Amino acid sequence: MAVSEVSGSPLVMAFFTVLLTVFSTGSSNDQVPLVLWSSEGYTLPPQTPPAAGHIVSSSQLDSYLSSILSAAPQNVLVFLQDKLSVDDFTMFGGVFGNKQDSAFPFLESALRSSPSPLMLPALSWAGSTAVLGVLQQHLGIPPLYLDPSSLAQLRLNASVPTLLVIRLPYSTGTDMMSPKDALSGNDEVIGQVLNIMKAQAVPYTAIYTALKPSRVIHEVSVGVQSVGRSLLQAPAGPYAPVMFKEGDKTCILMWAETLTVSLLQDQKWNPHELGPQTFGQSPTVTLTGSFCNDTRSRLVLNYQNVLGFQNFRLIFSMSRSFYKVSARDWFTLDQVELEYDGQKATFNGSRNIYAPAEYSYRCESVTNFRYPLLVPRLPTDNATLWRVSFNDFQIQGFSVTGQDFAYASDCAGFFTPGIWMGLLTSLLMLLILTYGLHMITQLRTMDRFDDPKGPAISVPQTE
Ligand SMILES: *[C@@H]1O[C@H](CO)[C@@H](O)[C@H](O)[C@H]1NC(C)=O
Ligand SMILES: *[C@@H]1O[C@H](CO)[C@@H](O)[C@H](O)[C@H]1NC(C)=O
Ligand SMILES: *[C@@H]1O[C@H](CO)[C@@H](O)[C@H](O)[C@H]1NC(C)=O
Ligand SMILES: *[C@@H]1O[C@H](CO)[C@@H](O)[C@H](O)[C@H]1NC(C)=O
């Protein structure tokens, strides 16, 4: 957003301020990460990275950027994703999370070859919307929004500053693309753009950040704790959650409105609802085989006579590990298994189901079909014969204290489509207004764009 471009107009500034205030109210805990690096061979001025857990404010970002831009290449690329959270690096990254199948191979290789990359894990959301404004101020030029495909035609000049913005999408469970696929698609775009820069031999400074967090994890602050607890902590129904005790200490809690398993028989799905046997007034489930320690938890629910199987077990396996980049422990629901009369069907959580280790995980719907969070372990696994569907599901396998769930980390995003429509409409209006003003102030330079037969696009140099 061309913020400082319109700073001359008090009306627009006021509008913008109001807009920011409205949308930042109550979301001061929401942060996005920012990664900054320079092309090979360009060392950036050394920065003191923020202390773990510290949230970088807009003004701190301003001082980071002004120190860096004083010595960095003045061709600045901003990869601006719709949404991103440090969890995305944690869950889908290689270097970051020590995982083999990283969604960010190009980004990681760029970071490795850059002498002094800067990683800000938690930039305040207000700071992230201000990134472009700050860059524009320091470089003295307006941002140019680019389609990656038109970048190839761009002739860059190392001695002329440019501010190029490449927008990247991020889709979530509501469409068919998984976040991981979206992220690796974006990573490929980053790779292409960096290759074009390399081919033109123009040194650059690159920034990867987002307009908003991809998932909002609410920190529990002392002040809101009691409210949060009463709203989120109590199970949503009349029955207590399943509780597994190791010794006399409760270590696993699980609750669901419904726990449905369906078996494909004669090309028909035959459902069975495990809820009443699990949570009812007189639950018949036993927890034999469950266990937990500091790093692994396994909840085994044993049933009799389910869908014609004498012995039927539903097993949740969780693990806990420390992730350096977010400097915190996370737990993941790694597998959900069905064992029925000696046969097995295994679903992977595939890193879709996770929460900070000191919280519980909550999700409206966990299934292996329709926006699946669970996937069969192997394409030939018996899991393809089963459908599982857990509604209003909540689980906690670590850091359980007492009989109640800890604060819930919800799988759903914070913003509903309605809120987004409102936000986008306002931003669109602002954009049109800004664009109009921008056009008025830029009238003199417009003739550069008028000749369709002219040479390839060149970047406007304005004061
Ligand atoms: C880059 O820009 C400078 C200053 O505007 C100019 O002198 C130089 O010729 C340009 N170089 C190229 C390769 O276009
Ligand atoms: C927890 O249990 C797992 C599986 O039995 C085992 O591999 C691991 O070493 C145990 N960890 C601790 C800290 O006891
Ligand atoms: C999968 O199901 C088939 C037939 O129902 C059975 O023979 C096989 O043992 C099962 N596989 C596993 C891994 O349980
Ligand atoms: C499920 O997890 C197992 C072991 O963690 C892995 O070997 C397998 O490839 C995973 N399957 C899928 C579909 O992700």
Side-chain angles (χ1 to χ4, degrees), residues 155-160 461:
R155 292 285 152 266
L156 293 166
N157 179 336
S159 53
V160 179
Q461 307 158 34

Side-chain angles (χ1 to χ4, degrees), residues 334-335 346-350 375-379:
D334 302 319
Q335 285 195 338
T346 310
F347 299 98
N348 281 5
S350 297
V375 293
R377 184 176 53 110
L378 300 167

Side-chain angles (χ1 to χ4, degrees), residues 10-66:
L11 180 70
V12 176
M13 267 316 269
F15 179 50
F16 194 78
T17 312
V18 168
L19 198 73
L20 263 187
T21 319
V22 167
F23 286 104
S24 58
T25 309
S27 55
S28 55
N29 288 331
D30 308 333
Q31 300 106 38
V32 299
L34 181 144
V35 187
L36 185 149
W37 72 98
S38 55
S39 44
E40 235 170 310
Y42 283 82
T43 311
L44 300 175
Q47 305 296 322
T48 321
H54 177 79
I55 297 166
V56 175
S57 67
S58 315
S59 61
Q60 279 166 313
L61 176 72
D62 191 61
S63 73
Y64 271 121
L65 289 180
S66 50

Side-chain angles (χ1 to χ4, degrees), residues 176 259-264 269 314 316 333 335-338 345-350 352-353 363 365-379 381-391:
M176 295 318 281
L259 281 178
T260 316
V261 293
S262 314
L263 176 61
L264 187 61
W269 292 105
L314 174 61
F316 297 91
L333 177 57
Q335 285 195 338
V336 173
E337 282 164 87
L338 306 179
T346 310
F347 299 98
N348 281 5
S350 297
N352 290 323
I353 304 179
C363 199
S365 164
V366 173
T367 67
N368 65 325
F369 58 103
R370 234 177 338 113
Y371 320 134
L373 293 179
L374 297 169
V375 293
R377 184 176 53 110
L378 300 167
D381 194 283
N382 286 344
T384 51
L385 299 176
W386 289 90
R387 279 184 171 177
V388 296
S389 174
F390 311 143
N391 279 327

Side-chain angles (χ1 to χ4, degrees), residues 291 293-296:
F291 85 92
N293 65 23
D294 275 356
T295 54
R296 300 213 169 260

Side-chain angles (χ1 to χ4, degrees), residues 238-266:
Y239 304 116
V242 168
M243 247 178 253
F244 172 68
K245 291 188 167 140
E246 185 85 75
D248 55 0
K249 198 179 167 301
T250 307
C251 64
I252 306 177
L253 296 171
M254 193 275 287
W255 196 86
E257 177 92 40
T258 61
L259 281 178
T260 316
V261 293
S262 314
L263 176 61
L264 187 61
Q265 285 168 319
D266 303 328

